[in-house]
């Protein structure tokens, strides 16, 4: 079968290779992959930042979708041909996260999805909503579930709440879609008016161009009746945190998800205190959360936003595109092309 | 000013009367009422069942809306002309209910809203969403807030959850609208195919005629992929409870709200246990919940369903209509007509 | 190895037998059992009520403890000699219960613990607190975890809350111990003043003899400053439910656990509503809850209350004793005697 | 009556003065004060940092206790002579905090408790546990309730959880006592072995001298089976935050309470994310939380730790002592001496 291998850290470490189709062991399944998608985690992995000690070569990409093509011994409840997506954390079935549950990530700690086939534990795949294409299903494991956990599981957004999204990357657009699905009022930021217009078409109630409005936090507060928003889905990580606090209402939530603008920053701890802010670190979610999200997606016939599709062979192009940023929504890989 | 007075229990105890416009005391406001609405609680009050020791005569109806017409000493944050609705429990500002908070109900323990004016504590009114008429605003205090608390506050329904509504009365239709607003999948029952069609137009995903399908609980479970629903908004109270359990998924919620079909019944306590069901008694909600609900209504531009409007003078007709049942949504009183 | 087998429903169906020591398969462990304990679930199983279609013969008893004596293929993180207890629901690792998670119960749907050895999935055992004997550890899987889930997981009892326990059986005494461990004020009922004295020695703050005080619910409310208790751990099931409601404060919890006095009863549904009561069905809990409970037991050096110990051979005597009731705390089986 | 007045920011702004005994208005009570206590908030107020625009002169101190000496019009449910404590946020009765609820603080936005008498809204006082002296009662409003909210309300600590306390100031010692009351395992840090010994006598399970063990976070993790603690009550604010993260388990809580070591710092936002940490800002709590805390204190007969008592006249000495730090527990003011 065809695979992409990361042979050493960096773009040049990505090479096309051939491997035999793997055989599923006890409790495992073989998945014939059709689509995959990229996340910032894949960039961090590529650069050796996510896991400096990772074993190379490794097939990259945590997120893939396709159909069950083989069942190992002892597997029940799945049948050949079932359309499934991978899970980011194969061991996180349900409940609260632990160090153990947050390990064994495909594409980093085990072979991932840039391949014709992948072997995964049977409980590390989930059936996907019928109305989604394989490419769309492949956008769910990391970005969609991260957004779902931030908006639904942790912040428990309800109708009428105000939610602030940063930029128009994969996580932010899923968070926008979920927040709208729940009846929330949404504000989204971008440096591009064209992207803001597209976000508005997706349901964003208010838009802020953070280039022309550097104090976007203050502006978001004004747009929230002066009270502030209930939730900021913080994907910047540090460079944006202070402005996020300015947007927040007393007792509001900040989902700390991304590291787009840095991994550490001077944070006004006293303001976190006085605002009674709830800052919650989030890395994806459990398989049970994934199943609940899929029900929501199926009921609403919600469609993921794919900004760009690349074929199997263009690994370096895809990573470079992801690194440059600027895409709208997700970057997907058509593994059949 | 014109009022309706309940002078003794029963329909014949309702009489039209004249009273001087009351004066708001310290911390109170005078509301010029424009609309009111009826709830089953008003029937229970009429019949002396809600409060056998209530002081008569009393102006009936818990629910009214209009505009601030006078401010007592010490009142801040409200201005003459602000459009407001009454709250069902004037003392329940926030937090968990207590015996004290669940007292002083207008129309039962203090004069209510079938009047040109009413005096209420300043924190016993809430501003109403701008897009609502006075009549629509008058449907919110009891029925809408009860549905909101059941669906949003207690059961914490999220997108993709399954919710079962019983019948097409005021609480059930609000619960239907809120469940849809949150992205849930909904099933509604009625004995009338015509009403089921109207419910479907409001967003119901599935309908069951409980006359032709007496085992509607089992049918609801089938419509829920065999797994059962996440929430039943139980307005029957006892006659319907067993069938509600049949509809429920393991660990699901039953909001115990109404007494339409009885106040006590043989309940399979062992089944509550084995299903790990969560049965939650609900009587309306707090003022803070009301404010949150109003934000949701405002963001979604949600419109309450009013089945029938009667003028000020037709008190007996309105109560009789409520007792007969069979209306779709709320019965409202146009106090200006 | 020695086992007790249930060959047909009823006491006479219990027979001693010899079987070969089983071999753990992939992902399974072999446990050398030292102690076991009885629960009402075992009585319901014996009588064919828990599972009329169960496959016989079956080794009874859900609850056992001992040490790991063999590891199947693919098992990691456990070593020979580790002291462990069984879990009641082998598939319920964490999260909310589902029909699937609530299946495969030892002693009912698979061979249980009245045996020298048992094979269980590796994630269906938990390490036990060091300070406990094997017999004490064998009392935890069903009764202790049920009490823990009622008091800690569902009702979230905190210091200063009031908790009402019914009788002095296994679940009630564990619930008493956990409630005290959390700083709650406790009230316990019994028909025996002698048992009430023993309960007081275990930490009960107030006692009520329900024979001499049939309106024990009202009495419990008086003992609660007239306000009522925060939680009733309801083990009667139906015969006691109405009185439990009388003991409850507005918005209080009733954990519906047992069926001691019946499986169905006339329940005042209207009162559940007006009191805003939260009635929660409970059957044991997840493995993650078990681990958390064990940490609490270890930190507090809490000792389970064993009322009576019987040797391996006295199966009929043990079941008969359980059926008669009247024991204080748990009935344990010394499998080494 | 005697009062201390803050006439301008700084220690020298504190002067003794005489004022007429105030008269309670509608809905207010007059409290004859017997004891008061100091908090870091009082230092921040003294220095003009808490509220640079505060109206001077102002009677300082948020926390006081005494007895009801007068009732304004419309006050029900309180009687002359009832022993009460003040609340830090008079408007925060229950529910989630808002900007409005977090205002009107005695000693900052209205006259406080360094006086023979104070007038407060009737719902801005709470009855105090009988077993407490007036001085002990006066330690509750800010420090105890802050600790209660951190440990019980927000982090929902349960038996068996691990809790890390920083230093032996008022909040940390209350948090220690509450954590022990709930059955948690506790670790406490200090620079003084003598204080650590006193903390151990109060129930601390493990102690760390952070002078001799600068990597106290790592040490706390080791003391937590390598897994990390469930909760850090963070009173340093910024200088200690990174080490707190090192102590934490995946998914653990950090209560952000204090600013002892700074109001802003370089924070590893990426680590908050990857650890799925929950960082929650906390400023005191609601009146309903206060009442619940008082029940817990009453049931456990818990005694606040007062390190030092000063008489009415020694205002400057008391503030200087607080600023120097180094006290064990609370600094109380005997207003009758």
């Amino acid at each position: 079968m065809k695979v992409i291998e990361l042979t050493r850290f960096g773009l040049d470490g990505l090479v096309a290779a051939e491997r035999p189709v793997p055989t599923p062991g006890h409790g495992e399944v073989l998945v014939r992959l059709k689509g995959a998608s990229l996340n910032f985690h894949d960039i961090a992995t590529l650069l050796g930042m996510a896991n400096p000690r990772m074993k190379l070569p490794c097939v990259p990409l945590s997120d893939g979708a396709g159909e069950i093509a083989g069942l190992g011994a002892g597997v029940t409840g799945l049948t050949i041909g079932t359309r499934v997506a991978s899970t980011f954390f194969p061991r996180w079935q349900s409940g609260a996260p632990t160090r153990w549950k947050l390990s064994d990530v495909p594409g980093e700690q085990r072979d991932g999805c840039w391949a014709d086939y992948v072997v995964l534990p049977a409980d590390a795949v989930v059936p996907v909503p019928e109305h989604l294409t394989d490419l769309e299903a492949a956008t769910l494991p990391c970005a969609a579930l991260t957004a779902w956990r931030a908006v639904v599981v942790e912040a428990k957004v309800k109708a009428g709440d105000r939610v602030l999204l940063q930029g128009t990357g994969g996580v932010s657009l899923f968070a926008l879609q979920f927040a709208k699905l729940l009846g929330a009022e949404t504000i989204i930021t971008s440096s591009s008016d064209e992207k803001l217009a597209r976000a508005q078409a997706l349901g964003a109630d208010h838009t802020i161009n953070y280039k022309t409005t550097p104090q976007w936090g203050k502006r978001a507060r004004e747009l929230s009746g002066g009270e502030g928003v209930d939730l900021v889905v913080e994907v910047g990580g540090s460079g944006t945190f202070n402005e996020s606090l300015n947007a927040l209402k007393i007792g509001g939530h900040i989902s700390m998800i991304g590291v787009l603008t840095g991994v550490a920053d001077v944070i006004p701890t006293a303001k976190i205190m006085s605002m009674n802010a709830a800052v919650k670190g989030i890395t994806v979610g459990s398989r049970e959360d994934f199943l609940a999200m899929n029900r929501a997606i199926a009921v609403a016939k919600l469609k993921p936003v794919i900004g760009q599709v690349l074929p199997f062979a263009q690994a370096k192009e895809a990573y470079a595109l992801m690194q440059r940023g600027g895409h709208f929504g997700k970057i997907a890989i058509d593994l059949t092309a």
Side-chain angles (χ1 to χ4, degrees), chain A residues 39-40 139-140 142-148 150-151 163-182 186-190 192 194-207 233-235 257 260 293 297 302-308 326-331:
Chain A
N39 296 285
F40 280 104
T139 66
L140 303 180
C142 178
L145 187 51
T146 298
W148 175 264
V151 172
V163 179
L164 174 61
L165 295 323
Q166 298 176 342
T168 55
V171 170
S172 293
L173 288 191
F174 274 120
L176 170 65
Q177 290 178 296
F178 292 142
K180 287 314 297 176
L181 188 50
L182 292 158
T186 51
I187 307 171
I188 195 163
T189 66
S190 174
S192 150
E194 182 258 337
K195 285 181 183 167
L196 289 174
R198 291 169 74 183
Q200 215 152 11
L202 277 170
D205 297 290
H206 309 282
T207 61
V233 180
E234 171 65 66
V235 297
I257 290 178
L260 283 185
M293 176 183 76
I297 289 174
L302 189 149
K303 288 291 232 176
V305 178
I306 297 179
Q308 218 139 338
H327 50 287
F328 187 83
K330 294 285 297 172
I331 298 172

Side-chain angles (χ1 to χ4, degrees), chain A residues 4 22 135 151 154 195 309 335:
Chain A
I4 297 294
L135 282 186
V151 172
E154 299 291 348
K195 285 181 183 167
V309 182
L335 298 175

